[in-house]
Amino acid sequence: MSKTLVQKPHNNMRRSILILLAMFTLGVTSNAQSFKNDLELGDMAFERGNYYTAVKYYNQVFNSFENPEETLFPHEGGNPLKKNEEFEVYKYVCGRLGESYFNYKDYPKAEVWFAKAVTLEEYKDLDHLYEYGVTLRANEKFEEALVQLKKALYLHNPDFITNPDGVQFEDEKSKAFAEDIQYEIACCEFAVEAIKVPTSSKLEKMQEKVINEGNSSNYAGFDIGENRMMFTTSRFKKKNPTSKRKGAFVNSIMTYNLIDSSLYDLDFGFGLDRHAASATTTTDNQKMYFTSWSEEVENPSYQIFMARPLNDSLWDRAVPLNSVVNAPESKNIQPYVTGDGKYLYWASNRNGGFGGLDIYFCRLDEYGMPVGRAFNLGPNVNTKRDDQAPFFDEFAQTIYFASNGRIGMGGLDIFYADRDGKSWRIAENAGYPINSSKDEGYFALMKEGNFAFVSSDRSEGCCYELYTTEVNRYMICGVVTDAVDDSYLSDVNVVLMDEEGNELIATTTDENGQYCFPVIRGRDYVVTYDKANYLGDQMAVATGEISFDETNNLPTIRLITTEIDRAVKLKDIFYDYNSYRLRPESKVVLDKLAGQLKNYPYLVIEIGSHTDSKGTERYNAKLSRQRSQSCVDFLISKGVPKNMLVAKGYGESQPVVPNTNPDGSDNPTNRQKNRRTEFKVIRNKMLEGAQ
């Protein structure tokens, strides 16, 4: 991986150890021969990636030492030659045991062996020092991890190369190793702070005896409605008629009923020869997409398949998608299909990406097959490392995914990015405790409620398990009333839209005129309101200041009626004293009204103004007429057709309440109510045409 102060024992040290072992075995006991064989078998298993077997043989070598801990002091007392020989083997085996446990992610055991290896006298293998730091981070010992990682960064000696022009530059492997150390340091520092500020509720592990069956990985939960879910499991499957084997651990897809706890194994006819994992379906469950790969070691060929249902557990023959998704010579995995079946998201390491696995999307035709081309989600989502397991929240226009290419708690973390028009905002970490120091992936929101599935290997062991968590969604609520009498309006169509005008979710008001929407903090929305016989309305909503886990109330919307001769008092229409000049706050109200009226060119509107009884009747009639005309002139200036508007002054002739008290004394409150400007539909040309 990098240049180190002392070469890794995979090469020169290993040759030296074999020479020492040859010395042991020349004409001596069979125990020594067994010692040598165990070491060689362990090395063979390690080089092939069979770390479980490697651990078995390395442990047998370690246990053959009579007093292994004495080798920590090879120069003190006893037989120096024997202790130096054993010391080299001891260091080597400790490091290999640490690496073996590390490679199959048994971090608690890896920590034990790395602790021995990195503290041995004159032991300066930087790879082991780095891996020890990563192990401590995975075991949530962040402060201790920082010590080891910073030590590795300090001891790292960059390896420079000189090109034919005499220019020196750092070797790519050496540079990458330093970047890896710096990345892990940043993750530890992030984790220390993230734990202080939880962003969601604690994760709850799903049923251990049914969902999280102990001898397998269980992951990729997906809600398919009607209290049912799908998930992937690697549990043992017995012999299938299509296979010669008696049984094997095979990834397969199961459905689970949350009511009666029944399990169904989905059968695609693969037998034991192919794996099926990470499934997703359209809302009507008529198309399923999943990852499949073969048992071939050299060429497993990871592809995405589509299938249609025959019944609850049996699906029609699954077929691989075309090359738009399954690009040749690449891994294509972990699909997500939108509920309407129009788009597919997935992870791929095809050429042209940013590095590792990237997330792509494409369009699907009416038959569920990819058309057009694959689009990379871009650098705000994808990194030079792995970005995978996408889930697209269609309501919030937010993509959730797993990544080890951004600073997080360590390993794979859940990130999310909001859609911004045709691009994406910079991805953000979902925080703690959704993320841990281990791997998290396959975040998927449930169809109802504020809950999601998360797959994590945070428990002891190596495998994913299924968890649920409550997601912190923010709620905005409001009330709609009739502007005439402020009575609650039910069955108003209320639509939440994004800044681009795309509809996100629609609802209707209840009998109390109430409605609610879940929103994402920090995004801007527009809410529209529509009901027959009323002017449509809308409101801009900014969510930067909404409160955590609380209902945030929006201003009341007063819909203006379009019923003939039903007058509505326009609130906040003010004039200077004894003047018909509009105040600035009045222009705000009229500006909004102008925008509404442009959608109803078939209406004829009367703007009528009223005064109280102070002053002469003639003066009040003139003043009220001038005030109405001021409103009409302003509306025309904002683009409302002139033939839609009529100005009328009523003076003091139509009080809504008496101007004086029963004893004849003045009533200022009532006079204020009588001073008003009203909106009234006097003609509806559309209705006249229908007649």
Side-chain angles (χ1 to χ4, degrees):
M1 183 182 291
S2 68
K3 180 178 178 180
T4 56
L5 299 184
V6 176
Q7 291 292 321
K8 285 195 77 171
H10 298 176
N11 35 66
N12 295 337
M13 183 179 290
R14 185 172 184 274
R15 287 194 291 272
S16 300
I17 289 170
L18 292 178
I19 293 171
L20 290 170
L21 290 173
M23 294 171 58
F24 285 147
T25 56
L26 289 176
V28 292
T29 67
S30 60
N31 286 340
Q33 186 63 48
S34 175
F35 182 98
K36 176 185 176 184
N37 289 342
D38 286 341
L39 188 62
E40 290 179 336
L41 289 170
D43 285 342
M44 289 174 59
F46 186 95
E47 298 301 334
R48 292 174 179 171
N50 190 348
Y51 303 114
Y52 290 94
T53 302
V55 162
K56 171 186 173 184
Y57 288 114
Y58 289 139
N59 267 314
Q60 288 178 184
V61 173
F62 185 83
N63 291 333
S64 67
F65 290 113
E66 292 181 6
N67 296 297
E69 296 302 330
E70 289 183 9
T71 61
L72 288 170
F73 310 99
H75 302 297
E76 295 182 12
N79 185 336
L81 176 62
K82 178 181 177 182
K83 288 193 174 183
N84 276 316
E85 292 162 354
E86 288 191 359
F87 179 59
E88 297 304 320
V89 180
Y90 179 84
K91 289 191 299 185
Y92 176 74
V93 170
C94 286
R96 275 293 174 110
L97 279 166
E99 285 182 286
S100 297
Y101 284 117
F102 179 86
N103 286 332
Y104 67 77
K105 299 186 178 182
D106 189 341
Y107 296 113
K109 291 180 180 176
E111 180 182 341
V112 173
W113 292 103
F114 279 139
K116 290 179 180 293
V118 302
T119 55
L120 296 176
E121 185 177 87
E122 298 178 359
Y123 194 87
K124 297 175 182 175
D125 188 304
L126 292 193
D127 291 282
H128 286 173
L129 197 60
Y130 164 74
E131 289 165 351
Y132 183 34
V134 174
T135 296
L136 289 167
R137 187 265 302 153
N139 291 337
E140 298 187 354
K141 299 180 179 180
F142 302 114
E143 300 293 351
E144 295 176 46
L146 283 169
V147 172
Q148 301 302 328
L149 291 166
K150 289 180 179 180
K151 186 187 298 182
L153 187 63
Y154 174 76
L155 294 174
H156 174 58
N157 185 18
D159 193 359
F160 289 94
I161 296 175
T162 303
N163 67 14
D165 297 328
V167 178
Q168 280 196 338
F169 58 93
E170 188 175 358
D171 176 68
E172 287 300 319
K173 290 184 178 180
S174 173
K175 184 178 179 181
F177 182 61
E179 290 176 352
D180 287 345
I181 300 174
Q182 291 167 338
Y183 170 79
E184 287 292 340
I185 289 172
C187 284
C188 287
E189 292 172 341
F190 174 88
V192 169
E193 297 304 316
I195 289 174
K196 298 176 183 177
V197 188
T199 59
S200 72
S201 61
K202 183 179 179 182
L203 271 64
E204 298 291 337
K205 187 186 294 186
M206 300 191 72
Q207 293 179 348
E208 295 200 29
K209 293 184 179 180
V210 181
I211 301 294
N212 288 312
E213 196 266 342
N215 296 320
S216 61
S217 289
N218 300 282
Y219 58 99
F222 191 86
D223 188 350
I224 55 177
E226 298 180 351
N227 294 305
R228 295 182 302 151
M229 64 173 287
M230 293 188 302
F231 69 101
T232 302
T233 182
S234 64
R235 59 193 70 186
F236 189 83
K237 295 182 71 173
K238 295 183 179 179
K239 180 179 178 180
N240 186 288
T242 65
S243 177
K244 296 180 180 179
R245 293 182 293 168
K246 294 181 179 179
F249 288 96
V250 178
N251 286 273
S252 63
I253 300 164
M254 302 188 81
T255 64
Y256 172 66
N257 190 307
L258 281 73
I259 302 299
D260 61 16
S261 299
S262 57
L263 283 171
Y264 291 97
D265 193 357
L266 300 189
D267 186 3
F268 303 103
F270 289 164
L272 303 180
D273 303 319
R274 289 194 70 85
H275 299 266
S278 55
T280 174
T281 67
T282 52
T283 299
D284 60 9
N285 293 325
Q286 293 304 299
K287 297 184 187 76
M288 176 187 291
Y289 298 83
F290 61 91
T291 310
S292 182
W293 65 99
S294 72
E295 278 289 291
E296 297 179 31
V297 176
E298 297 297 326
N299 184 28
S301 184
Y302 289 84
Q303 293 184 312
I304 293 173
F305 280 62
M306 185 190 76
R308 296 177 182 273
L310 295 176
N311 55 45
D312 283 346
S313 61
L314 188 63
W315 287 70
D316 198 3
R317 184 178 65 88
V319 295
L321 300 184
N322 58 35
S323 59
V324 174
V325 169
N326 291 322
E329 307 298 322
S330 65
K331 177 187 287 189
N332 298 281
I333 59 175
Q334 301 164 337
Y336 171 80
V337 63
T338 56
D340 58 13
K342 293 182 178 180
Y343 295 93
L344 187 78
Y345 294 79
W346 77 100
S348 176
N349 65 352
R350 65 188 59 204
N351 292 331
F354 292 89
L357 290 166
D358 277 7
I359 298 174
Y360 292 79
F361 82 98
C362 72
R363 290 190 301 110
L364 300 173
D365 64 19
E366 59 183 311
Y367 304 104
M369 283 295 168
V371 292
R373 67 184 183 90
F375 296 90
N376 190 294
L377 265 60
N380 285 352
V381 172
N382 293 312
T383 66
K384 66 179 181 180
R385 296 191 178 191
D386 288 333
D387 305 281
Q388 59 192 73
F391 177 91
F392 184 53
D393 180 355
E394 296 162 55
F395 154 63
Q397 294 288 290
T398 300
I399 190 91
Y400 293 87
F401 61 100
S403 176
N404 59 11
R406 298 179 183 276
I407 303 303
M409 299 284 292
L412 287 168
D413 269 16
I414 302 297
F415 289 81
Y416 64 91
D418 294 332
R419 198 171 202 163
D420 189 7
K422 294 183 179 180
S423 61
W424 300 88
R425 296 177 180 174
I426 297 174
E428 296 184 45
N429 191 286
Y432 173 86
I434 285 180
N435 292 314
S436 72
S437 61
K438 302 288 185 64
D439 287 338
E440 279 73 41
Y442 303 98
F443 179 96
L445 290 167
M446 297 184 192
K447 294 185 184 299
E448 295 183 6
N450 292 340
F451 290 89
F453 296 111
V454 178
S455 303
S456 175
D457 69 347
R458 64 186 63 197
S459 296
E460 287 192 16
C462 65
C463 304
Y464 270 136
E465 293 177 301
L466 271 163
Y467 294 79
T468 61
T469 185
E470 187 171 6
V471 181
N472 291 331
R473 289 194 175 188
Y474 297 84
M475 299 299 296
I476 57 172
C477 294
V479 173
V480 183
T481 65
D482 187 312
V484 175
D485 55 13
D486 287 330
S487 60
Y488 296 132
L489 286 180
S490 62
D491 299 319
V492 179
N493 297 311
V494 188
V495 178
L496 182 72
M497 300 190 299
D498 63 17
E499 294 173 281
E500 306 298 322
N502 300 307
E503 180 178 322
L504 300 177
I505 192 170
T507 188
T508 57
T509 56
D510 62 18
E511 64 274 13
N512 295 316
Q514 293 184 334
Y515 64 92
C516 288
F517 291 120
V519 295
I520 305 300
R521 185 173 184 177
R523 295 188 63 179
D524 293 333
Y525 300 90
V526 174
V527 183
T528 65
Y529 308 84
D530 181 66
K531 185 176 174 65
N533 299 320
Y534 288 87
L535 295 182
D537 205 345
Q538 68 178 38
M539 180 194 308
V541 178
T543 62
E545 301 298 325
I546 60 177
S547 303
F548 170 75
D549 200 26
E550 291 181 5
T551 298
N552 296 268
N553 294 320
L554 298 176
T556 297
I557 289 293
R558 303 173 70 249
L559 291 188
I560 297 175
T561 182
T562 59
E563 292 181 27
I564 302 296
D565 289 332
R566 191 161 181 249
V568 179
K569 179 184 176 181
L570 294 176
K571 287 190 173 181
D572 300 325
I573 298 294
F574 303 109
Y575 311 88
D576 290 335
Y577 178 70
N578 273 346
S579 169
Y580 53 85
R581 181 179 297 173
L582 289 167
R583 291 185 183 178
E585 56 266 40
S586 303
K587 294 179 181 180
V588 174
V589 175
L590 292 172
D591 192 31
K592 178 182 177 181
L593 180 61
Q596 293 173 277
L597 291 178
K598 292 175 187 178
N599 298 318
Y600 303 87
Y602 49 85
L603 297 179
V604 177
I605 310 299
E606 177 189 285
I607 302 295
S609 291
H610 302 260
T611 67
D612 59 21
S613 60
K614 283 193 174 183
T616 67
E617 186 175 333
R618 183 178 178 181
Y619 175 81
N620 286 335
K622 179 182 177 181
L623 180 62
S624 63
R625 187 170 58 253
Q626 290 173 321
R627 286 179 171 179
S628 293
Q629 192 62 49
S630 294
C631 293
V632 166
D633 291 343
F634 182 87
L635 292 171
I636 293 172
S637 74
K638 293 298 180 179
V640 179
K642 185 177 181 179
N643 62 3
M644 285 185 65
L645 301 168
V646 174
K648 189 72 178 283
Y650 289 95
E652 61 187 71
S653 65
Q654 294 183 5
V656 291
V657 289
N659 289 294
T660 59
N661 295 313
D663 62 1
S665 60
D666 188 54
N667 189 324
T669 302
N670 282 3
R671 288 187 181 279
Q672 179 63 46
K673 292 178 181 179
N674 288 328
R675 296 192 295 270
R676 66 197 187 277
T677 296
E678 293 180 334
F679 168 103
K680 182 170 64 177
V681 175
I682 57 175
R683 285 183 64 190
N684 186 327
K685 298 176 183 178
M686 185 177 291
L687 292 179
E688 292 172 0
Q691 294 173 354

